[in-house]
Amino acid sequence: MTETNRYTEIDNAIKAAAADGRNELARNLFGLCDDIGTRFSGTEGDRRASAFIRDTFKKYGLSHIHQETFPFTAWRRGSGAQLRLVDPRACVLPAYAMPYGAATGDKGLTARWVDIGTGSADEVEEKKPLLPGAFALTDGSSGPRKDIQRLCVAAGAVGVLHGNPAPGMQFKTGSVDDGQESPIAAVSISAETMALLRRTAEGCLHLVVDCYCEPSETCNVVGEHCGSEDPDTFVIMGGHYDSHDISPGAYDNATGVTLLMEVARLLEPFRDQLKRSLRFVAFGAEEMGLLGSHYHARKNAEVLRTTRFMLNCDTPCLGRPHGLGFHKCAAAESYVQTLSSQMGETVLFANRQHTSSDHYPFQRKGVITAGVAGKAGESSGGRYYHTAADTPDKLIIQELSDTAAFIARALLRVVNDDHWPVLQHDAK
Ligand SMILES: [Zn+2]
């Protein structure tokens, strides 16, 4: 069925405004990545970033702007990690302490290492007799690092060496628990160091990690284009603004929060034509365990009850054709076809489940959620995810700008659709 495009004029105006505003978008992206830099939760960079987003929301005409402050346990790197091979020969091995990994004390730990391969439950089970008192070595390819860390804690390991599978002396960071300290140490090592240890097969390592946790606070930044007919029904666009402390997190996730600001800007001239409310939420502390989105979902239960859709922008796909990746909602496919027909362009549909980004707290409360899926695009940021090399030079401004125009046009329709289908999550 071909739908007529009731929004031809607005579509064209949004595309033109996106093309004209590429410098503005680039200024926002570079403002986050270069002027502010790392946006690690509970630091000065975090506070400056949330203030920058709040001010930009104001500039783009959002209303009900506020910072939703919440307490959390901050992790501080201290002087970091020192790792040495002590047997069968002595050498220094570069390593990075990972957020929520435990400190070792000044004397450090001396222990054997045990290779647990990809870190799957089966591999950990197989090595269980060897793990008590040892370091576990893994390339982490079996799944979430937090799951691997927890398996190693349960098996009695004293620390985990999380190897980066990609060569190039890169350290991949990432928190190893959700909002709290792991009972044991966690360090990131490069693919080259992991290969050296695997070649060496057995021996002894000495590890000192100096880091600590302390009570802190951070926030979500919230703003809205209020609906003109039914302001109490919502569509939410979200994305986290925090990054890890070793990089400005350009792809993860300055891209997402830049899209948030740009979509707010692109829709400002059409505020009066939005029938329902479009809420923008820049989440804090995603990297520490989805802390901001859990907080928002908990504190806004009333709003979530009348939220028809939540779009999460975390490391979005930036290529064409654009698409929406739903989470456990096969029934959304026909709506995406309708959208495709209304927008006069291919909109890709995907349906997969994962729980490691800010859509999840909303999904758990029954809201239909999706991420920005589709083709990967030419921007190469994804390769450097969670490393010091996640910098904005890997991103193509035009791709970000085109993606913002796509999202603005898609959300305009979702907000205004009087025939929004009753979507439900797939049965388990
Ligand atoms: Zn992210």
Side-chain angles (χ1 to χ4, degrees):
M1 179 178 65
T2 309
E3 303 260 338
T4 49
N5 185 356
R6 292 185 291 133
Y7 297 110
T8 307
E9 272 177 39
I10 299 184
D11 276 344
N12 291 338
I14 287 174
K15 286 179 193 167
D20 287 349
R22 276 183 203 144
N23 289 341
E24 173 95 6
L25 178 147
R27 267 198 300 279
N28 286 338
L29 178 71
F30 300 149
L32 288 166
C33 296
D34 298 340
D35 299 341
I36 296 170
T38 67
R39 303 175 302 281
F40 195 52
S41 295
T43 66
E44 183 59 18
D46 179 6
R47 283 183 281 279
R48 288 182 61 206
S50 60
F52 175 81
I53 296 161
R54 178 201 60 206
D55 294 347
T56 309
F57 277 0
K58 225 173 262 176
K59 185 165 131 193
Y60 296 160
L62 296 187
S63 39
H64 301 157
I65 296 170
H66 61 283
Q67 282 165 283
E68 199 174 51
T69 302
F70 58 91
F72 81 109
T73 300
W75 181 84
R76 311 290 187 199
R77 182 170 294 281
S79 58
Q82 285 142 42
L83 180 67
R84 283 186 297 122
L85 183 63
V86 290
D87 177 52
R89 59 191 170 276
C91 69
V92 171
L93 301 171
Y96 262 73
M98 295 168 82
Y100 288 143
T104 59
D106 293 346
K107 279 173 42 192
L109 302 165
T110 304
R112 301 166 289 112
W113 71 89
V114 173
D115 192 344
I116 56 164
T118 69
S120 68
D122 286 349
E123 286 162 300
V124 173
E125 186 60 35
E126 191 192 319
K127 298 289 171 71
K128 218 169 193 171
L130 303 172
L131 279 168
F135 294 114
L137 169 70
T138 177
D139 63 30
S141 58
S142 66
R145 85 190 79 77
K146 290 169 190 174
D147 294 352
I148 299 173
Q149 182 83 12
R150 286 175 195 139
L151 288 170
C152 294
V153 170
V158 293
V160 185
L161 312 171
H162 294 265
N164 182 356
M169 287 305 286
Q170 286 288 344
F171 304 92
K172 216 179 240 326
T173 191
S175 51
V176 294
D177 211 323
D178 291 321
Q180 59 177 10
E181 192 175 48
S182 169
I184 62 173
V187 294
S188 169
I189 59 171
S190 66
E192 288 75 8
T193 295
M194 179 166 61
L196 169 75
L197 293 177
R198 284 181 167 167
R199 284 198 301 277
T200 308
E202 56 183 49
C204 224
L205 291 162
H206 181 73
L207 175 68
V208 182
V209 181
D210 173 43
C211 60
Y212 60 97
C213 287
E214 66 178 6
S216 184
E217 61 177 34
T218 182
C219 71
N220 300 319
V221 190
V222 186
E224 288 168 14
H225 282 318
C226 289
S228 55
E229 285 182 17
D230 177 11
D232 295 333
T233 297
F234 289 85
V235 169
I236 298 176
M237 178 178 178
H240 72 91
Y241 71 86
D242 64 311
S243 75
H244 277 288
D245 63 335
I246 63 168
S247 88
Y251 183 56
D252 184 14
N253 186 36
T255 54
V257 77
T258 298
L259 288 176
L260 217 61
M261 294 188 282
E262 182 66 358
V263 170
R265 186 183 80 83
L266 293 175
L267 289 176
E268 184 188 9
F270 311 106
R271 272 186 304 186
D272 298 349
Q273 294 174 61
L274 297 175
K275 293 185 183 177
R276 297 167 190 86
S277 293
L278 180 55
R279 174 178 280 201
F280 297 85
V281 192
F283 299 111
E286 187 268 356
E287 300 290 7
M288 310 311 285
L290 317 183
L291 305 185
S293 48
H294 275 298
Y295 186 82
H296 190 80
R298 221 170 33 242
K299 290 286 165 182
N300 293 266
E302 203 61 39
V303 167
L304 263 58
R305 266 194 283 279
T306 54
T307 295
R308 54 166 61 174
F309 178 61
M310 189 268 185
L311 180 69
N312 185 40
C313 290
D314 186 3
T315 57
C317 292
L318 299 173
R320 282 174 190 273
H322 298 291
L324 297 174
F326 283 78
H327 306 110
K328 286 182 90 170
C329 188
E333 185 163 15
S334 65
Y335 185 73
V336 171
Q337 281 164 5
T338 305
L339 207 54
S340 198
S341 153
Q342 287 177 352
M343 292 173 74
E345 67 186 53
T346 303
V347 180
L348 299 177
F349 169 79
N351 186 37
R352 69 186 186 104
Q353 174 63 354
H354 75 101
T355 59
S356 51
S357 188
D358 292 316
H359 65 278
Y360 185 57
F362 293 82
Q363 188 192 0
R364 270 183 45 175
K365 302 256 181 195
V367 177
I368 298 299
T369 62
V372 183
K375 287 274 187 292
E378 301 293 317
S379 297
S380 60
R383 225 179 292 158
Y384 304 99
Y385 148 91
H386 282 202
T387 74
D390 185 5
T391 51
D393 42 285
K394 279 76 177 192
L395 301 171
I396 296 166
I397 296 298
Q398 184 178 338
E399 285 191 339
L400 262 170
S401 162
D402 288 351
T403 305
F406 161 75
I407 296 171
R409 293 168 55 230
L411 290 185
L412 166 73
R413 289 161 166 90
V414 176
V415 164
N416 279 2
D417 200 329
D418 293 328
H419 306 287
W420 175 255
V422 180
L423 295 173
Q424 280 176 344
H425 292 126
D426 306 344
K428 290 208 179 81

